Amino acid sequence: MSGYVITPPPVASLPVIGTDARFPVRRIYCVGRNYLAHVREMNEGADERDPPFFFQKPADSIVHDGGVSPYPTLTKSLHHEVELVVAISKGGAFIPKAQALDHVFGYGVGVDLTRRDLQTVAKDKGWPWEMGKSFDHSAPLSAIAPASVVGHDETRKIRLTINGKERQSSTVAHMTWSTPEIISKLSEHYRLEAGDIIMTGTPEGVGAVNIGDVIEAQVEGLPTLTFTITEPLKP
Ligand code: MN
């Protein structure tokens, strides 16, 4: 006898622009509080000198471009957070900031879907954020554009629309911690590996989404992401 006692789950992956080969996803890391205007709108009192902090979403929570995210259970306040996405192609720990971009395969855009009411309870009670952040279908992600094609531009515009109406609009230049700084800091907490995805935090303008909403997310010069919020899944 060999192999597995049950069928192993599929490897999560994202399409890559310009090739049929896909980017396999190991972990999805997310950065909290990375745009000062968003920190202010959340009344969090943190300031820009606070070190970045991180949480994760499961790789099997990915929703692909053109896909659907069923409205999740146990929330009345599902929020959108548009974020620049970084795909890691080379592992490392304690990666120096100056070498951090050597570890980047490419970039995309994602939406950090959040059960805001559950996150708020967690914050109040000092609980982990998991139930607010790491649920099924909570990580809509675009295709990845290789950095060899699109470069490492840190001044791209970032925006999100719902049913064609603009809800978030900023530039990734407003990130408190830049992509190299995030990679460097994150790699102090966890050894990064090829296949890791980093969602780099959201600018201001977060708000609720509803069943039937069509959400479009874009970071300038990168593949777009469109997905729809659908009826909750039947038990
Ligand atoms: Mn976020």
Side-chain angles (χ1 to χ4, degrees):
M1 290 291 283
S2 63
Y4 301 97
V5 297
I6 56 167
T7 306
V11 174
S13 66
L14 294 169
V16 176
I17 295 305
T19 172
D20 289 337
R22 299 176 69 87
F23 183 88
V25 178
R26 188 184 80 117
R27 293 181 182 172
I28 303 171
Y29 292 106
C30 303
V31 183
R33 297 179 190 138
N34 203 28
Y35 290 77
L36 200 54
H38 172 60
V39 173
R40 295 281 178 262
E41 78 178 347
M42 300 298 287
N43 294 316
E44 290 196 317
D47 77 38
E48 61 193 309
R49 302 321 310 163
D50 288 348
F53 71 94
F54 305 99
F55 57 92
Q56 292 182 44
K57 289 175 184 272
D60 68 357
S61 66
I62 292 173
V63 172
H64 294 288
D65 180 42
V68 303
S69 186
Y71 201 92
T73 57
L74 302 178
T75 182
K76 293 184 167 61
S77 185
L78 180 64
H79 271 208
H80 57 80
E81 298 189 354
V82 64
E83 314 203 353
L84 171 70
V85 165
V86 180
I88 299 293
S89 55
K90 190 172 97 177
F94 292 91
I95 298 167
K97 196 173 84 174
Q99 271 120 62
L101 294 181
D102 298 343
H103 295 254
V104 174
F105 173 78
Y107 300 94
V109 65
V111 176
D112 169 14
L113 285 175
T114 302
R115 294 195 277 211
R116 191 71 75 201
D117 41 3
L118 300 193
Q119 185 199 25
T120 301
V121 169
K123 282 180 184 171
D124 289 348
K125 294 187 182 273
W127 290 349
W129 283 19
E130 244 101 350
M131 289 185 288
K133 289 289 195 180
S134 309
F135 49 93
D136 296 343
H137 311 286
S138 63
L141 297 175
S142 75
I144 300 297
S148 57
V149 176
V150 297
H152 294 284
D153 185 357
E154 289 267 298
T155 64
R156 301 177 195 276
K157 293 191 179 100
I158 181 168
R159 84 192 273 267
L160 179 140
T161 65
I162 300 179
N163 305 325
K165 267 186 69 176
E166 187 171 275
R167 299 299 182 90
Q168 291 186 268
S169 178
S170 186
T171 156
V172 299
H174 286 154
M175 293 199 302
T176 303
W177 300 92
S178 67
T179 296
E181 288 171 331
I182 290 166
I183 290 169
S184 181
K185 292 278 184 193
L186 180 60
S187 75
E188 296 175 5
H189 290 272
Y190 306 95
R191 183 182 172 83
L192 297 184
E193 297 292 353
D196 289 342
I197 291 285
I198 306 172
M199 303 182 72
T200 55
T202 196
E204 70 276 21
V206 302
V209 299
N210 297 296
I211 294 166
D213 283 348
V214 177
I215 298 163
E216 187 170 316
Q218 183 163 32
V219 174
E220 186 182 14
L222 303 180
T224 57
L225 166 70
T226 305
F227 66 100
T228 304
I229 305 294
T230 54
E231 293 285 341
L233 294 177
K234 301 270 183 275

